[in-house]
Amino acid sequence: MLLIFLSFLMVDESSGHPQCLDYRPPFKPPHHLEFCTQYDKFGCCDQNKDNDIAERYWDIMDFFDIQGHELCGGFVKDLLCQECSPYAAHLFDAEDPYTPVRNLPGLCFNYCSEFHIKCQSVITLLTDDKNLRESCEKDRYKFCNLMNLPDQDYCFPNVIQNTDLNSNLGSVVQDSKGCFQLCLIEVANGLRNPVLMLHANDNTHRMFVAEQLGFIWIYLPDGSRLEEPFLDLSAAVLTTPWAGDERGLLGLAFHPKYKNNGRFYVYYSVLVKNQVEKIRIAEFKVSSLDMNKADPNSERLIFEIEEPASNHNGGQLLFGFDGYMYVFTGDGGKAGDPFGKFGNAQNKSALLGKVLRIDVDGSDSDGKPYRIPLDNPFRSDKNARPEVYAYGVRNMWRCSVDRGDPVTHNGRGRIFCGDVGQNKYEEVDFIVKGGNYGWRAKEGFECYDANLCHNSSLDDILPIFAYSHRIGKSVTGGYVYRGCESPNLNGLYIFGDFMSGRLMALQEDRKTGTWKEKKICMGQMQTCSFPRLINHYHKFIISFAEDEAGELYFMSTSHPTAYSPYGTIYKFIDPSRRAPPGKCKQKPLPVKVKGKRRPFVPQALTVLDMNNNPPTRVPPKKIKFTTKPLATTTFRPTTVRPTTLATMVPTRKIYTTKPALKTTAPRIHPKTNPKPPKATRKDFLSKVEKKNKKKTSVPRVNKPKSKHKPKQVQKPVKFSTLPLVTPGFHYIPPQRTTIRPKGSSRKQKGSKTVK
């Protein structure tokens, strides 16, 4: 029994699951909270909601005098402000959207007992739940058991005193090994090896997804996909059904001024005259008749490079913030870059194994459809191609440009790449103008070709990170997160490995300029218990992506072939913290769609769908109001509102002039009924007029219940009655009211119809 008790008291690290009443993670308020100040740093309330809670508080406290404020004000504030708690979903039993929400936050037994002794009448102002009201009136033990939670770590005030739950609030959830626990949202599926996803930076927030087979599809902001492809190059693209074939449609880049000129560029494999394999970089334009269609006849060849082998084809195109286009090529294939004396990568007169930079906004005097930027590092070197920007790379697969910190702009314009290794190491590089990245002399931080390695320059650019083939065998470069929705991820470079399916992250140490690895794993069931979230994905990570708002995605498949329709796109979500409400709202420009759309249908089971545990409570029954006050009269707001604390607001203000003399007293009845809300005013007046004509009396306080049912059952109407009289809690009716002793009766005469 002792072991069971101790295990009940222990707090598991994974049990710390902050969640708001909207079933989303908490956030850091953008502005100071004036009322619920204890949640000013982190919680579920912004300034607007804090003001709403404060207004509800003062509406309730208008029923009290100074003595009542001192006695009950703290309790009322505590209960109302639990909507702002980062554990609000636990306090209200709202961990998932499929079970009903509690009327009031869960209270620990001792706190509830103190609340009941001092301010039990307040419960009538906070909820219209019949069970809570009756138990509060009759049995404190039963009431506090109803208010309690099964998990004592989450009841109030234990939840704010628990150091395990509050020590790392707002930080990325980590397991015992320090692995970041993230969750995913499935955004697309049924794709055939999706090799990339890009936005056009045209404020439409469309996403363009390229399949290795040669198709480019458009996904709209609502998640639907256009039925017709944006561009179909399947007839020209060279690829096969072989698993792991590296040829196909590999790269796509939109011109920085695409919104105005409609130009974009593709990188794909072709077979010329059925003999020679090449990679082709070509320009296309969008159709003048349909913004969701490319003009297939507008292709303009930029250049082609002959490929000596079928592998190591590179495939990355991107535009830097300097306006120039960067082209990332592989070393030509086979193993160990066996071409020439030093290999293609170290040969600056070859275009393979390089980072190329060109200006596509003009033409060269030699007739080339591009120009060489004036500051290219080898422009004046006769033994080098002027297009070369950096060299010594093996097969860079997926590069990205850092858009910079949203506030400080730190890191803006940096280019990161994942360079696939040979036999031992995979590496991540930061591209530098004129840099030599060592291949084939080096692989990662180690020597690959001993002769070349000993003679290599000390100025070779080393990776910012490398890992051995015990972890993964084919790196997939990613992005530095600069989005809005997951503030904790800002500055993390997130990437993965194609073969092992491992997700990883690098975090920069600004003082030393070094990068430290941060492991990424999928969140546990409780961590990802939010609507739409999943915690699993297909193994083979093909590529990463960034949308127009800066949010991060990745593409993976369970069958890595160009014809297998198992490719899926996932979006990263940090379940521990989100941005404040409204901060990340986007206003996409309208998209004129001429064809049909295919709505997105998710295939993966969400964490909530996989949770087979039945609800721990039954849904609350709908409360019915009678036409007459109950024999045990309690205060009920005149407006029927949802049975959550967030919406129980008194409908009118009542002020008092003198304190009560006793802690308990017989209930009193008003001579006039309070003014009903506008929505039920007509029904209310008709009922009052009927009562006045029949001269029905107000029931006595302790009148026994009648054994006979009325002949006619009237329709329920909203009715307002009065609370118990507690210290500082009074009701002063419009006309003089006498408190009658027990057993006495008196008819109310002269009742007036409320106008």
Side-chain angles (χ1 to χ4, degrees), residues 93 95-101 150 608 611-620:
D93 267 358
E95 291 90 344
D96 65 74
Y98 307 135
T99 52
V101 181
L608 293 178
N611 187 3
N612 296 322
N613 295 328
T616 57
R617 56 194 179 279
V618 296

Side-chain angles (χ1 to χ4, degrees), residues 196 198-202 206-211 214-218 229-233 237 249-268 280-288 290-303 316-319 323 325-327 358 360-361 369:
L196 60 90
L198 291 175
H199 63 87
N201 198 29
D202 59 356
R206 294 174 298 169
M207 297 303 294
F208 296 77
V209 179
E211 293 178 322
F215 294 92
I216 300 176
W217 303 95
I218 290 181
F230 175 70
L231 180 63
D232 179 3
L233 292 175
V237 168
L249 175 56
L250 305 177
L252 172 67
F254 291 91
H255 193 279
K257 298 180 180 179
Y258 172 80
K259 185 177 180 180
N260 299 319
N261 59 30
R263 292 157 54 191
F264 65 96
Y265 302 84
V266 293
Y267 182 127
Y268 62 101
R280 176 180 295 170
I281 288 84
E283 177 189 88
F284 286 86
K285 291 184 179 180
V286 70
S287 171
S288 59
D290 190 346
M291 65 182 301
N292 296 311
K293 282 280 192 178
D295 182 357
N297 299 318
S298 63
E299 182 175 12
R300 182 172 71 104
L301 181 65
I302 303 299
F303 62 80
Q316 181 69 53
L317 291 180
L318 60 82
F319 281 89
M325 187 170 74
Y326 292 76
V327 183
I358 59 176
V360 295
D361 288 331

Side-chain angles (χ1 to χ4, degrees), residues 66 107 232 299 311 414 419 513 527 540 580 587 622 675:
I66 296 177
L107 303 180
D232 179 3
E299 182 175 12
N311 59 339
R414 297 182 298 187
D419 197 2
T527 305
F540 299 101
K587 295 182 179 180
K622 190 174 182 180
K675 182 179 179 179

Side-chain angles (χ1 to χ4, degrees), residues 158-416:
N158 287 0
V159 68
I160 63 174
Q161 299 168 354
N162 191 315
T163 55
D164 292 325
L165 293 179
N166 294 279
S167 58
N168 293 314
L169 266 180
S171 302
V172 180
V173 179
Q174 301 184 41
D175 62 12
S176 58
K177 297 181 180 179
C179 185
F180 285 170
Q181 294 191 36
L182 300 182
C183 307
L184 306 172
I185 293 179
E186 181 187 7
V187 297
N189 52 44
L191 293 160
R192 294 162 294 187
N193 260 26
V195 294
L196 60 90
M197 182 171 76
L198 291 175
H199 63 87
N201 198 29
D202 59 356
N203 295 325
T204 63
H205 291 259
R206 294 174 298 169
M207 297 303 294
F208 296 77
V209 179
E211 293 178 322
Q212 184 179 355
L213 200 58
F215 294 92
I216 300 176
W217 303 95
I218 290 181
Y219 284 81
L220 300 177
D222 62 0
S224 63
R225 189 185 88 175
L226 299 187
E227 194 171 60
E228 296 293 329
F230 175 70
L231 180 63
D232 179 3
L233 292 175
S234 57
V237 168
L238 172 63
T239 190
T240 67
W242 305 338
D245 191 350
E246 300 177 18
R247 299 168 297 182
L249 175 56
L250 305 177
L252 172 67
F254 291 91
H255 193 279
K257 298 180 180 179
Y258 172 80
K259 185 177 180 180
N260 299 319
N261 59 30
R263 292 157 54 191
F264 65 96
Y265 302 84
V266 293
Y267 182 127
Y268 62 101
S269 304
V270 294
L271 182 63
V272 180
K273 297 181 180 180
N274 293 324
Q275 294 180 349
V276 181
E277 293 185 13
K278 293 184 178 182
I279 56 173
R280 176 180 295 170
I281 288 84
E283 177 189 88
F284 286 86
K285 291 184 179 180
V286 70
S287 171
S288 59
L289 303 176
D290 190 346
M291 65 182 301
N292 296 311
K293 282 280 192 178
D295 182 357
N297 299 318
S298 63
E299 182 175 12
R300 182 172 71 104
L301 181 65
I302 303 299
F303 62 80
E304 292 180 338
I305 304 175
E306 184 175 340
E307 282 282 354
S310 61
N311 59 339
H312 299 187
N313 296 282
Q316 181 69 53
L317 291 180
L318 60 82
F319 281 89
F321 287 123
D322 53 14
Y324 299 131
M325 187 170 74
Y326 292 76
V327 183
F328 299 80
T329 63
D331 65 4
K334 297 187 178 180
D337 193 6
F339 307 102
K341 185 177 180 180
F342 305 110
N344 282 326
Q346 290 296 321
N347 181 6
K348 290 181 285 187
S349 64
L351 295 180
L352 294 173
K354 305 294 186 299
V355 179
L356 311 177
R357 185 172 73 154
I358 59 176
D359 181 3
V360 295
D361 288 331
S363 58
D364 193 273
S365 57
D366 297 336
K368 296 178 181 177
Y370 60 87
R371 292 181 297 200
I372 304 299
L374 296 177
D375 61 340
N376 267 19
F378 306 108
R379 180 185 174 92
S380 58
D381 188 345
K382 296 181 180 180
N383 296 320
R385 292 288 297 265
E387 296 92 342
V388 175
Y389 185 79
Y391 63 105
V393 303
R394 184 176 179 272
N395 189 39
M396 287 188 165
W397 181 248
R398 293 302 165 248
C399 305
S400 63
V401 182
D402 184 2
R403 61 171 66 187
D405 185 273
V407 179
T408 65
H409 303 294
N410 179 62
R412 177 177 169 82
R414 297 182 298 187
I415 299 177
F416 293 85

Side-chain angles (χ1 to χ4, degrees), residues 531-544:
R532 299 180 60 199
L533 295 195
I534 62 176
N535 60 353
H536 56 279
Y537 58 91
H538 295 316
K539 176 183 177 181
F540 299 101
I541 301 174
I542 303 172
S543 187
F544 288 78

